[in-house]
C-alpha cells in the first residue's frame, strides 16, 4: 500500500490487505483526530480484502461515535460488491459515483 495525504483526504493505492491494516488504522486515526470529515480515496486501489473492510467499518463506527465521518471515494464495483457480500455496506459511507453522460 502506498498513500498520500492532503488536507482531509487520504489517497491509497496498491493492495489493501492484512499486511497494511496497522498502518492504515494509524493514518485514519490521526486524520480523524484532526478533521470532522475524512475521505479515503480508493480510486487507485487494485484489491481489498475483508480484513481491510472490517477495519474501515470499525473506523467508520468510531468516527460516528466521535461526531465525525469517514467516507470512501472511488470504490470500485468489486469493493462495493465485497462490502455488500460481507454485510459491511451499511457500516461504511460511500461517496456517490458520478454518472457518465449517455
Amino acid at each position: 500500500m502506498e498513500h498520500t495525504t492532503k488536507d482531509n483526504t487520504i489517497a491509497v493505492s496498491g493492495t489493501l490487505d492484512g499486511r497494511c491494516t496497522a498502518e492504515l488504522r494509524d493514518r485514519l486515526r490521526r486524520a480523524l483526530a484532526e478533521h470532522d470529515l475524512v475521505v479515503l480515496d480508493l480510486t487507485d486501489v487494485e484489491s481489498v480484502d475483508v480484513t481491510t473492510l472490517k477495519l474501515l467499518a470499525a473506523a467508520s463506527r468510531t468516527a460516528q461515535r466521535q461526531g465525525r465521518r469517514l467516507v470512501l471515494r472511488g470504490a470500485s464495483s468489486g469493493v462495493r460488491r465485497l462490502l455488500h457480500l460481507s454485510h459491511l455496506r451499511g457500516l461504511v459511507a460511500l461517496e456517490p459515483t458520478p454518472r457518465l453522460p449517455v
Side-chain angles (χ1 to χ4, degrees):
M1 172 189 87
E2 294 183 26
H3 74 280
T4 57
T5 304
K6 182 176 180 185
D7 298 323
N8 70 330
T9 301
I10 303 169
V12 291
S13 62
T15 300
L16 301 182
D17 58 20
R19 294 173 289 179
C20 69
T21 54
E23 181 181 354
L24 183 58
R25 181 177 39 250
D26 291 343
R27 298 269 176 220
L28 289 171
R29 187 177 296 141
R30 278 183 265 158
L32 286 164
E34 295 176 16
H35 303 282
D36 290 336
L37 170 66
V38 173
V39 177
L40 183 63
D41 189 340
L42 303 175
T43 302
D44 295 325
V45 168
E46 297 165 9
S47 65
V48 176
D49 71 359
V50 173
T51 303
T52 304
L53 294 181
K54 287 180 181 179
L55 163 70
L56 296 177
S60 182
R61 274 194 312 250
T62 300
Q64 287 176 347
R65 278 185 248 149
Q66 298 170 349
R68 300 172 187 272
R69 279 189 76 211
L70 172 63
V71 176
L72 304 185
R73 173 182 292 158
S76 68
S77 60
V79 170
R80 290 171 185 266
R81 187 170 40 254
L82 192 53
L83 280 168
H84 177 72
L85 292 172
S86 63
H87 303 286
L88 296 172
R89 171 58 193 98
L91 301 175
V92 180
L94 295 172
E95 189 174 83
T97 306
R99 294 183 183 232
L100 298 173
V102 179

